[in-house]
């Protein structure tokens, strides 16, 4: 039996008052993030929105990466999203990390490679994984630390990208140990110089200070 024709008028169509703004913010987020799989990313976006969780959204579009192949992988913007999602927890279950990684449409093989760099079990210490992610982005130890500071800093974009010395020291020492070719005494000497500068800045390491620090551990 065919359905009867239904007539609608403007008065009958009710548009939820929040819908236009939700769609507007979603569109802006998609443009900034440039996900490879829009549908997969959209499902993660609205799931996080409904749960009040950090959204899988970049703070700004990363133009240098937008022209690369679609499977270009991890970028500073994507790593910053993951940091916002996981840093409050301290540790993260590997299965959850895999889920969030997939939500960002990042290649699974890249995640597996990162996890193999350390003897992680079912739980991953987030700051260690962050450091490993930065090592993929940087071409040297110091450039990796530059990425780390820019991701974890509370300073506004374009600021000093300051981070607590304890955090800087932990990340730098960890990456130096993973590298395996940097003598421990050189790591200690470098961090000693950084600490002297940090002591003059209320215990904070400023990005502009350490990137010019002379060291053979770069």
């Amino acid at each position: 039996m065919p359905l009867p024709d239904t007539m609608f008028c403007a008065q009958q169509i009710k548009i939820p008052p929040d819908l236009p703004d939700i769609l507007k913010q979603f569109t802006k987020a998609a443009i900034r993030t440039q996900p490879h799989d829009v549908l997969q990313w959209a499902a993660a976006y609205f799931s996080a929105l409904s749960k009040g969780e950090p959204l899988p959204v970049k703070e700004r579009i990363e133009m240098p990466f937008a022209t690369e192949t679609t499977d270009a992988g991890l970028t500073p913007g994507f790593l910053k999203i993951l940091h916002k999602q996981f840093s409050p927890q301290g540790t993260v279950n590997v299965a959850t990390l895999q889920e969030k990684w997939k939500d960002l449409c990042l290649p699974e093989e890249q995640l597996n490679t990162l996890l193999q760099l350390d003897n992680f079990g079912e739980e991953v210490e987030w700051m260690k994984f962050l450091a490993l992610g930065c090592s993929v982005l940087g071409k040297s130890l110091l450039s990796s630390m530059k990425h780390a500071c820019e991701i974890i800093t509370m300073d506004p974009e374009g600021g000093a990208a300051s981070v607590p010395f304890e955090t800087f020291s932990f990340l730098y020492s960890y990456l130096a140990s993973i590298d395996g070719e940097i003598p421990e005494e050189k790591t200690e000497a470098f961090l000693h110089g950084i600490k002297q500068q940090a002591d003059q800045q209320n215990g904070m390491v400023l990005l502009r200070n350490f990137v010019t620090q002379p060291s053979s551990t770069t």
Side-chain angles (χ1 to χ4, degrees):
M1 179 177 178
L3 295 175
D5 293 336
T6 303
M7 299 296 293
F8 291 101
C9 64
Q11 289 75 17
Q12 292 176 296
I13 300 174
K14 301 296 184 181
I15 300 177
D18 294 338
L19 181 60
D21 186 62
I22 289 174
L23 294 179
K24 179 179 179 181
Q25 295 306 318
F26 168 76
T27 302
K28 289 182 177 180
I31 292 173
R32 289 202 306 272
T33 307
Q34 298 286 303
H36 170 48
D37 187 331
V38 176
L39 290 179
Q40 179 175 303
W41 174 83
Y45 175 92
F46 285 110
S47 176
L49 184 65
S50 67
K51 297 175 183 177
E53 298 174 349
L55 299 176
V57 179
K58 292 181 181 179
E59 293 181 354
R60 57 183 176 81
I61 191 170
E62 294 180 287
M63 294 304 296
F65 297 92
T67 56
E68 295 182 2
T69 58
T70 54
D71 60 349
L74 192 65
T75 69
F78 282 132
L79 190 53
K80 191 162 189 175
I81 290 174
L82 293 169
H83 181 65
K84 288 182 177 179
Q85 292 173 328
F86 292 129
S87 60
Q89 304 174 28
T91 60
V92 56
N93 184 272
V94 170
T96 303
L97 177 57
Q98 290 172 332
E99 177 185 348
K100 297 299 185 182
W101 190 272
K102 184 178 180 180
D103 288 344
L104 297 176
C105 312
L106 295 172
E108 182 180 0
E109 60 271 16
Q110 189 177 39
L111 174 60
N112 293 335
T113 298
L114 287 171
L115 292 173
Q116 290 170 6
L117 293 176
D118 201 340
N119 297 318
F120 294 123
E122 293 300 315
E123 297 289 327
V124 175
E125 189 173 345
W126 171 249
M127 292 303 287
K128 288 185 176 181
F129 185 87
L130 171 69
L132 295 176
C134 290
S135 72
V136 171
L137 302 175
K139 297 181 179 180
S140 67
L141 181 50
L142 284 188
S143 63
S144 299
M145 290 302 302
K146 178 178 180 293
H147 283 297
C149 289
E150 291 174 339
I151 288 171
I152 65 180
T153 186
M154 299 300 292
D155 295 341
E157 185 177 350
S162 59
V163 298
F165 172 77
E166 292 76 12
T167 302
F168 181 93
S169 177
F170 174 82
L171 295 174
Y172 187 93
S173 299
Y174 175 69
L175 286 180
S177 68
I178 291 293
D179 181 275
E181 297 183 358
I182 302 174
E184 185 176 349
E185 59 270 18
K186 289 189 176 181
T187 298
E188 293 177 353
F190 175 76
L191 290 176
H192 177 72
I194 293 297
K195 187 175 188 307
Q196 288 182 321
Q197 296 179 353
D199 287 342
Q200 300 175 10
Q201 301 291 336
N202 297 317
M204 303 295 287
V205 178
L206 305 185
L207 179 60
R208 64 173 178 268
N209 288 344
F210 83 80
V211 293
T212 57
Q213 179 85 357
S215 172
S216 58
T217 62
T218 59

